[in-house]
């Protein structure tokens, strides 16, 4: 029993409440997030100077103030929400269907070689035709409305989820499979206690990647077909030389993409609390 | 102790009988014999050590006994009944502690009871007493990455014992630990063996460890893997590594393993035999 007196720093307390943050540590964290703001502020400053000193023509680079004004104009006078909601709804639906199908088929193919052989070649074929090449045909069939876009973007979400689920399951170490046999776990216990948590890190990578692809792609899909959504707005702004609106759309797209990824990272952090990897110096 | 899973009294169960066990692998069309005609009788409650150089098939033998590999010739009987597949009557501790990183220590130990028909209360009690047995009380909620190598191996031992197996197989369980932790855990293993009174089979390549822990030493040789000697250890229960008899036995076993060069053999008796 000689080892019982050995205490691990943070082993128990850290499990319950996270690392106790000291004041110094908190200050350091605050400082390091400020560092991240330096570059955007510098770019904003350069933008201010470049536009006010007319280094670039106003048509191509409106001032930041003009752009902010344009944002409120879009919001209050041009029903910007409706476009935003239209885009988000497409992404939401496509993300849901793509993830669900990817998890289902990925789990099936991961657990069974037969299922993998049945679906593998077909899916590989579909995968190698890029989404933009699918769009014309799908629009022809499903129209310029949201349905066609949901289909194409579902496909984009499906593949990373499917492939990472399959890979995640196959990469569960053999020693855990042996352990499950030694402990005489049932198939269901084996799946729930070993396969799912073992594959989860990889699955979450797939879902996160799928979500960011979906958001990027909705902009393109809306730009190519239909009369609604933030993608439509940004291409219209370009055609009408409304650079201020174009910039507003770019910033909003970037912010939403950032928020989606942030949400996914939070989810990942929660689900993979047990995981410890290198987090950088 | 809460109720045990098997009703048979301890001390009578846990007899392992290997009869003419052989195993071959096919490698590129050629047949490779890993085990040839292994015969071994392990009495209930015995602690036996199997030593041998790497490649002598000692770990393969454990895989057959635990039931992970059914592709062999011969018979393996536990309490006169042939084994089939894995069973909770046979527990194992691997060299790699093999704790699931997503489960806390107590959940890792409890996982062994997943298919045991006991109430949650009884399971919790069993898990608690076995974590206590290996001296890890206070770390129940720690995740594996927060444990040291020695602690992880203790947890694996607790998981191996929590189902109250008749026989516990130890596949080089201390092989990856530093010397100090290793010696400590050897004493722990002895204490646990005395408390639990179950049959233990330890596979190791460390001769000193084999003698320190075993009632009997089985020496294996490679190509093909076979038992070359079976030695009863006639030393007092608490062994001194520096004892003359201990050292003599160690030299003898090492010589059996073919590990000693001519100059190491020493002693007039051996010199006479060589010449």
């Amino acid at each position: 029993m000689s080892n019982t007196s050995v205490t691990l720093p943070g082993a128990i307390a850290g499990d319950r409440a996270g690392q106790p943050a000291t004041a110094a540590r908190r200050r350091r964290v605050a400082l390091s997030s400020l560092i991240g703001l330096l570059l955007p502020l510098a770019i904003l400053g350069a933008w201010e100077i470049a536009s006010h000193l007319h280094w670039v023509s106003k048509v191509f680079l409106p001032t930041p103030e003009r752009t902010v004004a344009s944002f409120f104009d879009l919001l209050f006078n041009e029903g910007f929400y409706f476009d935003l909601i239209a885009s988000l709804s497409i992404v939401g639906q496509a993300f849901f269907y793509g993830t669900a199908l990817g998890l289902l088929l990925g789990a099936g193919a991961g657990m069974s070689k037969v299922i993998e052989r049945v679906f593998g070649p077909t899916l590989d074929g579909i995968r190698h035709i890029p989404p933009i090449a699918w769009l014309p045909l799908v629009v022809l069939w499903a129209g310029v409305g949201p349905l066609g876009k949901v289909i194409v973007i579902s496909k984009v979400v499906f593949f990373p989820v499917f492939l990472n689920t399959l890979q995640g399951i196959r990469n569960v170490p053999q020693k855990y499979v042996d352990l499950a046999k030694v402990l005489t776990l049932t198939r269901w216990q084996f799946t729930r206690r070993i396969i799912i948590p073992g594959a989860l890190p990889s699955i979450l990578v797939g879902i996160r990647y799928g979500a960011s692809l979906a958001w990027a792609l909705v902009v393109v899909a809306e730009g190519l077909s239909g009369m609604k959504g933030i993608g439509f707005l940004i291409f219209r702004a370009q055609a009408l030389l409304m650079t201020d609106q174009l910039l507003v759309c770019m910033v909003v797209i970037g912010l939403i993409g950032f928020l989606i990824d942030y949400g996914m990272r939070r989810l990942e952090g929660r689900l993979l609390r047990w995981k410890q990897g290198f987090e950088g110096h | 102790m809460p109720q045990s899973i098997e009703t048979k009294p301890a001390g009578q169960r846990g007899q392992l009988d290997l009869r003419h066990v052989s195993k071959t692998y096919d490698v590129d069309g050629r047949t490779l014999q890993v085990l040839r005609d292994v015969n071994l009788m392990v009495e209930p409650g015995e602690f036996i050590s199997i030593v041998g150089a790497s490649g002598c098939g000692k770990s393969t033998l454990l895989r057959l006994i635990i039931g992970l590999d059914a592709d062999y010739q011969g018979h393996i009987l536990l309490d006169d009944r042939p084994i089939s597949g894995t069973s909770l009557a046979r527990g194992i501790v691997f060299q790699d502690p093999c704790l699931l990183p997503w489960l806390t220590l107590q959940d890792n130990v409890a996982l062994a009871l997943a298919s045991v028909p006991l109430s949650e209360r009884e399971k919790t009690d069993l898990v608690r007493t076995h974590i206590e047995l290996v001296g890890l009380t206070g770390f129940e909620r720690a995740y594996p990455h927060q444990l040291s190598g020695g602690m992880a191996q203790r947890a694996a031992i607790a998981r191996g014992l929590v189902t109250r197996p008749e026989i516990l197989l130890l596949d080089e369980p201390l092989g990856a630990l530093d010397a100090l932790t290793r010696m400590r855990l050897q004493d722990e293993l002895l204490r646990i063996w005395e408390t639990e009174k179950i049959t233990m089979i330890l596979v190791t390549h460390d001769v000193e460890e084999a003698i320190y822990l075993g009632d009997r030493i089985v020496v294996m040789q490679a190509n093909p893997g076979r038992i070359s000697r079976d030695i009863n250890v006639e030393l007092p229960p608490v062994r001194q590594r520096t004892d003359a008899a201990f050292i003599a036995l160690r030299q003898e076993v090492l010589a059996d393993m073919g590990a000693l060069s001519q100059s190491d053999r020493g002693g007039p008796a051996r010199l006479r035999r060589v010449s």
Side-chain angles (χ1 to χ4, degrees), chain A residues 85-95 145-146 149-150 153 218 222:
Chain A
I85 288 168
S87 301
L88 284 173
S89 135
I90 291 174
V91 168
Q93 290 176 57
F95 178 71
K149 298 179 187 99
V150 169
I153 296 171
V218 76
E222 285 172 343

Side-chain angles (χ1 to χ4, degrees), chain B residues 169-229:
Chain B
L169 308 176
L170 302 151
D171 189 2
E172 301 192 34
L174 313 181
L177 302 176
D178 64 274
L180 197 67
T181 312
R182 204 178 163 124
M183 280 164 73
R184 250 186 217 156
L185 272 182
Q186 286 169 355
D187 287 331
E188 291 277 297
L189 269 179
L190 275 184
R191 183 181 60 77
I192 290 167
W193 174 59
E194 276 155 19
T195 328
E196 300 283 299
K197 296 188 170 56
I198 62 170
T199 314
M200 289 200 185
I201 299 184
L202 169 77
V203 153
T204 178
H205 52 243
D206 180 344
V207 176
E208 214 167 89
E209 179 171 287
I211 300 173
Y212 190 72
L213 296 175
D215 294 328
R216 251 168 87 197
I217 316 283
V218 170
V219 183
M220 287 187 70
Q221 278 187 352
N223 297 320
R226 62 196 184 276
I227 292 179
S228 63
R229 269 194 78 183

Side-chain angles (χ1 to χ4, degrees), chain A residues 121-141:
Chain A
T122 315
L123 289 179
D124 249 1
I126 294 174
R127 185 162 68 98
H128 288 294
I129 305 170
I132 298 305
W134 279 99
L135 192 65
L137 181 71
V138 174
V139 166
L140 210 56
W141 288 352

Side-chain angles (χ1 to χ4, degrees), chain B:
Chain B
M1 279 282 147
Q3 105 181 52
S4 83
I5 289 155
E6 290 287 324
T7 43
K8 236 170 147 187
Q12 287 175 25
R13 55 199 179 96
Q15 184 202 55
L16 184 76
D17 189 1
L18 305 187
R19 291 184 194 160
H20 308 294
V21 173
S22 296
K23 167 146 187 83
T24 53
Y25 282 120
D26 277 331
V27 185
D28 299 329
R30 283 183 307 134
T31 309
L32 192 71
Q33 186 146 36
V34 232
L35 291 173
R36 192 178 69 192
D37 195 33
V38 172
N39 290 287
L40 186 64
M41 172 68 114
V42 187
E43 296 302 332
E46 210 173 12
F47 195 130
I48 114 161
S49 306
I50 302 179
V51 281
S54 44
C56 70
K58 53 193 195 297
S59 285
T60 306
L61 191 62
L62 280 201
R63 277 185 78 84
L64 302 187
I65 300 173
I66 195 70
L68 281 174
D69 187 347
D71 180 24
Y72 60 89
Q73 296 87 49
H75 303 279
I76 301 179
L77 307 168
L78 183 66
D79 297 325
D80 300 321
R81 285 212 306 270
I83 63 154
S84 83
T86 53
S87 148
L88 291 181
R90 283 164 281 140
I92 190 165
V93 179
F94 299 106
Q95 175 171 8
D96 175 335
C98 205
L99 300 176
L100 298 172
W102 46 87
L103 296 182
T104 59
L105 191 158
Q106 61 181 0
D107 289 342
N108 262 293
V109 176
L111 185 64
L113 296 172
S115 55
V116 174
L118 285 177
S119 71
E120 282 309 310
R121 231 194 109 83
E122 290 167 312
K123 287 185 185 182
T124 315
D125 277 348
L126 272 174
V127 169
R128 207 194 47 240
T129 46
H130 281 86
I131 289 178
E132 197 183 313
L133 178 74
V134 297
L136 284 179
T137 305
F139 294 100
E140 290 88 348
R141 288 171 196 282
Y143 281 97
H145 71 78
Q146 296 167 315
L147 303 174
S148 69
M151 294 168 89
Q153 204 51 275
R154 283 164 190 264
I157 294 170
R159 183 180 59 197
L161 287 169
V162 75
T163 52
R164 319 294 314 275
E166 295 173 26
I167 181 167
L168 185 68
L169 308 176
L170 302 151
D171 189 2
E172 301 192 34
L174 313 181
L177 302 176
D178 64 274
L180 197 67
T181 312
R182 204 178 163 124
M183 280 164 73
R184 250 186 217 156
L185 272 182
Q186 286 169 355
D187 287 331
E188 291 277 297
L189 269 179
L190 275 184
R191 183 181 60 77
I192 290 167
W193 174 59
E194 276 155 19
T195 328
E196 300 283 299
K197 296 188 170 56
I198 62 170
T199 314
M200 289 200 185
I201 299 184
L202 169 77
V203 153
T204 178
H205 52 243
D206 180 344
V207 176
E208 214 167 89
E209 179 171 287
I211 300 173
Y212 190 72
L213 296 175
D215 294 328
R216 251 168 87 197
I217 316 283
V218 170
V219 183
M220 287 187 70
Q221 278 187 352
N223 297 320
R226 62 196 184 276
I227 292 179
S228 63
R229 269 194 78 183
D230 191 336
I231 308 167
N232 269 317
V233 178
E234 282 163 19
L235 291 174
V238 180
R239 280 152 208 179
Q240 296 297 321
R241 291 182 177 85
T242 48
D243 199 49
F246 190 106
I247 292 169
L249 184 58
R250 191 188 69 191
Q251 294 303 100
E252 196 182 327
V253 173
L254 280 172
D256 273 323
M257 288 166 69
L260 295 186
S261 63
Q262 292 290 336
S263 58
D264 287 332
R265 288 182 181 237
R270 292 207 177 273
L271 275 179
R272 219 173 295 134
R273 193 150 44 149
V274 166
S275 55

Side-chain angles (χ1 to χ4, degrees), chain A residues 163-174:
Chain A
L163 291 173
N164 279 285
T165 305
L166 171 63
Q167 238 2 276
I169 290 174
R170 291 292 164 82
N171 284 345
V172 169
Q174 178 61 37

